[in-house]
């Protein structure tokens, strides 16, 4: 149980185009999902918190107009990188909390990540 | 903001030896978690220790937490080649009510068969 999938697993796009990355919780519902980016040999940096049915909460320094987040259902959040540039090339990882878990649930379940390369 | 900060280490050990890595953080926490990441993959949750716990075991893993020193350690006993990965600690609080995690820099562990 508690599986999170991401699609695509990797994508190459041209500079100036937009790319959408999907994050799905497969066997649980998640009112809250998180989006991270990770540069090579570095740690994960939280970009934003995705809330089902409401606006995402962005971390300081993350451009909300560039990284559009939509959490339209309890099992799906999408991250769209708009007008991508080579510096947006990174590993994007999502995670989700199991809303239905009893009590307070601290553990986050991570997707396998999406490798974005902007040429 | 990054709360969990372990000394970025690269450990290279022989199979069967123990691997120890540390993590320090700066603010009050609700819990601290350790994750493993294989190269180019997502994160796998290993173990969670709550702020009122001092030690926790899970299989070959042993985690300690010292809230007075704001530090934690992860011990992997009898290491195996499959333990080769990056290990991250992450601190959880109740910031904004949604329990965001702050990740540390990570420790690269290489277990030589």
């Amino acid at each position: 149980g508690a599986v999170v999938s991401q699609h695509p697993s990797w994508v190459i796009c041209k500079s100036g185009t937009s790319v959408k990355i999907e994050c799905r919780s497969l066997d649980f519902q998640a009112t809250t999902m998180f989006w991270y980016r990770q540069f090579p040999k570095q740690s994960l940096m939280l970009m934003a918190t995705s809330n089902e049915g409401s606006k995402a909460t962005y971390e300081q320094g993350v451009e909300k107009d560039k990284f559009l987040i939509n959490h339209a259902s309890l099992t799906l959040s999408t991250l769209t990188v708009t007008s991508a540039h080579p510096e947006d090339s990174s590993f994007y990882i999502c995670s989700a909390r199991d809303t239905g878990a009893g009590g307070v649930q601290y553990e986050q379940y991570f997707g396998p990540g999406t490798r974005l390369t902007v040429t | 903001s990054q709360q969990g900060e372990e000394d970025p280490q690269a450990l290279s050990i022989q199979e069967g030896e123990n691997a120890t890595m540390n993590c320090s953080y700066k603010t009050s926490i609700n819990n601290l978690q350790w994750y493993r990441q294989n190269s180019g993959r997502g994160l796998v949750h290993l173990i969670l220790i709550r702020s009122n716990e001092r030690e926790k075991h899970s299989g070959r893993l042993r985690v300690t937490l010292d809230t007075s020193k704001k530090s934690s350690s992860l011990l992997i006993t009898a290491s195996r080649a499959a333990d080769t990965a990056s290990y991250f600690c992450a601190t959880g609080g109740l910031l904004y009510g949604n329990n965001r995690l702050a990740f540390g820099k990570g420790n690269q562990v290489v277990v030589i068969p």
Side-chain angles (χ1 to χ4, degrees), chain B residues 44-111:
Chain B
V44 174
H45 182 265
L46 295 177
I47 194 166
L48 178 152
I49 186 165
R50 300 178 191 275
S51 59
N52 61 352
E53 297 176 311
R54 292 297 168 259
E55 186 172 312
K56 202 163 184 179
H57 296 255
S58 177
R60 294 184 295 111
L61 305 179
R62 173 176 168 257
V63 169
T64 64
L65 179 63
D66 187 335
T67 53
S68 66
K69 295 181 180 178
K70 290 185 166 56
S71 67
S72 173
S73 68
L74 171 66
L75 167 68
I76 304 173
T77 60
S79 63
R80 305 167 182 169
D83 295 329
T84 295
S86 292
Y87 292 83
F88 295 91
C89 78
T91 53
L94 290 175
L95 296 174
Y96 308 117
N98 59 13
N99 199 37
R100 294 144 67 209
L101 289 178
F103 281 84
K105 295 183 175 64
N107 289 266
Q108 175 66 44
V109 175
V110 175
V111 180

Side-chain angles (χ1 to χ4, degrees), chain A residues 15-27:
Chain A
S15 187
T17 62
S18 295
V19 174
K20 179 185 286 188
I21 302 170
E22 294 184 347
C23 177
R24 294 182 185 272
S25 56
L26 298 185
D27 48 5

Side-chain angles (χ1 to χ4, degrees), chain A residues 18 24 46 49 67 71 100 107 117:
Chain A
S18 295
R24 294 182 185 272
L46 180 64
T49 302
F67 299 99
H71 194 151
E107 181 177 340
T117 301

Side-chain angles (χ1 to χ4, degrees), chain B residues 11 18 21 26 29-30 41 53 79 94-95 108-109:
Chain B
L11 302 176
N18 296 340
M21 57 207 87
K26 297 180 179 178
I29 63 170
N30 183 293
R41 308 293 294 273
E53 297 176 311
S79 63
L94 290 175
L95 296 174
Q108 175 66 44
V109 175

Side-chain angles (χ1 to χ4, degrees), chain A residues 77-92:
Chain A
S77 174
T78 61
L79 169 68
T80 301
V81 182
T82 63
S83 187
H85 290 282
E87 55 265 32
D88 297 324
S89 298
S90 187
F91 193 53
Y92 292 86

Side-chain angles (χ1 to χ4, degrees), chain A residues 50-63:
Chain A
S50 173
N51 305 298
E52 187 268 336
S54 64
K55 293 182 178 180
T57 303
Y58 290 82
E59 294 299 300
Q60 190 173 8
V62 178
E63 300 175 59

